[in-house]
């Protein structure tokens, strides 16, 4: 057997590990038919799973809101994630946890679906090219808005990402890689898979979750690190004016980590380079990430 064969990638589905080519779900799964399900994206740093409990808690919270019962305890799910990481030799990597409504008949009602399916993929992710982490990234304003709070709440990390997909397409059509999404009132909500931060006169501002953002786990870590370093971090409704006129601007997320924004809608942000507070927070974030986790 070759070395490669021994480290062949496996995907965990409902209690079993499958080779990639056999890791499949039914066409009658309501996750596919209706986008009915929830997910999490988690990173592993230096062989430890970053903010593991926070991600597990958010998954179960998202599931509760859509009345989806995850057919295993949080503890057994964590064990399954650890097993999948170990099996795939993950040290610095990315874990995608997906819970679908499961197999049912055609028709929207979820109540004919017997049990939810749980899928764990342990792989790697690179959201943006390395060069943009050093030089900073350009963004545009998306015309596609985040969901109205009386639709599926934006705090639910659901399998319906089409608003975000459309905003991402707008970005790519404009020759940039990320778009800022607004809410139905015109306030800044977040990017397509990242939370928004600006710095003005030495203070950090980020939109409140109620503005239509996911309650980002990286966001919470960054606010904690900022405060520990004597920087005030305030949740406040922001408009595009606030972003255009920020001294510094950055995005955070499990995929994105921390990335400086240097241009928005053709306006140069700050000095046109990732700012000093952004760079300091980024460095402290990685230090923390590689020295925590479980
Ligand atoms: N907002 C949205 C809509 C997200 O999907 C974040 C904010 C950041 O939250 P966390 O908890 O990760 O700090 C996310 C997370 C991908 C990818 O494949 C997307 C995310 C995370 C990991 C990978 O594009 N989004």
């Amino acid at each position: 057997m070759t070395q490669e064969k021994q480290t062949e990638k496996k995907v965990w589905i409902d209690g079993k590990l499958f080779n990639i080519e056999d890791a499949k779900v039914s066409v009658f799964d309501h996750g596919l038919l209706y986008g009915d399900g929830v997910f999490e994206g988690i990173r592993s740093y230096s062989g430890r799973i970053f903010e593991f409990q926070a991600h597990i808690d958010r998954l179960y919270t998202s599931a509760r809101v859509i009345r989806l019962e995850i057919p295993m305890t949080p503890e057994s799910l964590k064990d399954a994630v650890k097993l999948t990481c170990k099996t795939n030799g993950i040290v610095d990597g990315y874990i995608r946890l997906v819970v679908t409504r499961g197999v049912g008949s055609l028709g929207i009602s979820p109540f004919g679906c017997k049990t939810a399916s749980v899928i764990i993929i342990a792989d790697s992710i690179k959201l943006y090219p390395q060069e943009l982490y050093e030089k900073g990234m350009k963004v545009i304003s998306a015309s596609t808005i985040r969901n109205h709070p009386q639709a599926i709440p934006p705090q639910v990390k659901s399998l319906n990402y089409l608003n975000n997909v459309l905003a991402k397409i707008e970005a790519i059509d404009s020759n940039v890689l990320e778009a800022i999404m607004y809410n139905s009132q015109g306030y800044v909500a977040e990017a397509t898979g990242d939370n928004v931060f600006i710095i003005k006169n030495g203070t950090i501002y980020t939109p409140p979750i109620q503005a239509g953002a996911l309650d980002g786990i990286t966001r919470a870590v960054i606010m904690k690190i900022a405060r520990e370093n004597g920087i005030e971090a305030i949740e406040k409704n922001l408009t595009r004016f606030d972003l255009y006129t920020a001294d510094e601007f950055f995005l955070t997320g499990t995929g994105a980590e921390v990335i400086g924004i240097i241009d928005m809608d053709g306006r140069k942000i700050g000095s046109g380079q990732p700012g000093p507070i952004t760079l300091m927070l980024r460095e402290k974030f990685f230090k923390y990430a590689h020295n925590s986790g479980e």
Side-chain angles (χ1 to χ4, degrees):
M1 208 186 256
T2 65
Q3 194 66 24
E4 252 168 40
K5 262 270 180 289
Q6 283 169 7
T7 56
E8 196 171 9
K9 284 201 165 76
K10 304 258 189 204
V11 174
W12 191 98
I13 306 175
D14 296 333
K16 284 190 220 129
L17 286 161
F18 294 89
N19 291 331
I20 300 284
E21 59 274 19
D22 302 319
K24 291 177 180 162
V25 293
S26 165
V27 294
F28 290 100
D29 191 311
H30 280 212
L32 175 71
L33 290 172
Y34 300 110
D36 187 350
V38 293
F39 77 104
E40 272 301 320
I42 315 174
R43 270 197 196 260
S44 162
Y45 292 102
S46 300
R48 281 186 289 184
I49 300 170
F50 186 55
E51 297 291 306
F52 199 7
Q53 192 60 45
H55 282 283
I56 294 291
D57 289 346
R58 189 170 67 185
L59 183 76
Y60 279 80
T61 300
S62 288
R64 177 138 48 104
V65 174
I66 70 160
R67 294 185 59 181
L68 173 65
E69 201 182 317
I70 300 177
M72 55 198 297
T73 63
E75 291 68 34
S76 56
L77 181 53
K78 284 174 85 172
D79 287 343
V81 169
K82 284 183 184 160
L83 171 71
T84 311
C85 284
K86 199 173 162 212
T87 304
N88 287 285
I90 298 294
V91 179
D92 291 300
Y94 176 72
I95 302 144
R96 171 64 57 96
L97 252 170
V98 184
V99 185
T100 72
R101 188 73 70 174
V103 172
S105 51
L106 296 175
I108 288 175
S109 172
F111 298 115
C113 303
K114 272 212 191 82
T115 47
S117 260
V118 180
I119 299 164
I120 307 167
I121 306 166
D123 202 342
S124 62
I125 193 167
K126 186 98 199 153
L127 224 51
Y128 312 116
Q130 186 57 33
E131 193 197 359
L132 297 186
Y133 285 91
E134 282 141 30
K135 292 190 180 158
M137 184 165 75
K138 296 182 178 187
V139 295
I140 54 138
S141 288
S143 67
T144 309
I145 63 168
R146 266 310 240 155
N147 269 335
H148 192 280
Q150 280 167 278
I152 174 78
Q155 290 103 312
V156 173
K157 204 160 162 57
S158 86
L159 292 181
N160 274 280
Y161 255 52
L162 276 174
N163 292 316
N164 306 49
V165 169
L166 292 181
K168 184 67 111 176
I169 289 172
E170 289 185 50
I172 292 165
D173 280 348
S174 304
N175 293 315
V176 300
L177 292 181
E178 196 50 76
I180 302 303
M181 300 182 76
Y182 298 83
N183 63 24
S184 58
Q185 294 180 299
Y187 289 111
V188 175
E190 57 182 344
T192 67
D194 343 64
N195 290 109
V196 167
F197 283 88
I198 58 165
I199 296 155
K200 189 79 186 171
N201 299 324
T203 298
I204 296 185
Y205 299 93
T206 188
I209 296 309
Q210 289 74 13
L214 185 76
D215 194 352
I217 289 165
T218 319
R219 174 183 181 274
V221 168
I222 285 294
M223 286 203 281
K224 183 168 150 260
I225 292 174
R227 288 168 181 155
E228 281 170 3
N229 285 276
I231 302 167
E232 206 180 353
I234 296 174
E235 297 181 69
K236 185 176 159 239
N237 268 327
L238 301 174
T239 63
R240 68 184 74 196
F241 176 88
D242 299 317
L243 307 193
Y244 291 158
T245 58
D247 298 331
E248 299 183 36
F249 181 173
F250 63 92
L251 304 178
T252 68
T254 297
E257 299 174 309
V258 180
I259 187 160
I261 303 302
I262 52 162
D263 187 288
M264 174 158 158
D265 298 333
R267 283 110 174 138
K268 186 167 87 170
I269 306 296
S271 66
Q273 289 182 338
I277 298 177
T278 303
L279 294 176
M280 181 275 279
L281 290 170
R282 184 173 152 71
E283 191 190 315
K284 293 207 186 289
F285 172 78
F286 283 118
K287 243 183 212 149
Y288 177 72
H290 283 279
N291 289 288
S292 63
E294 55 178 291

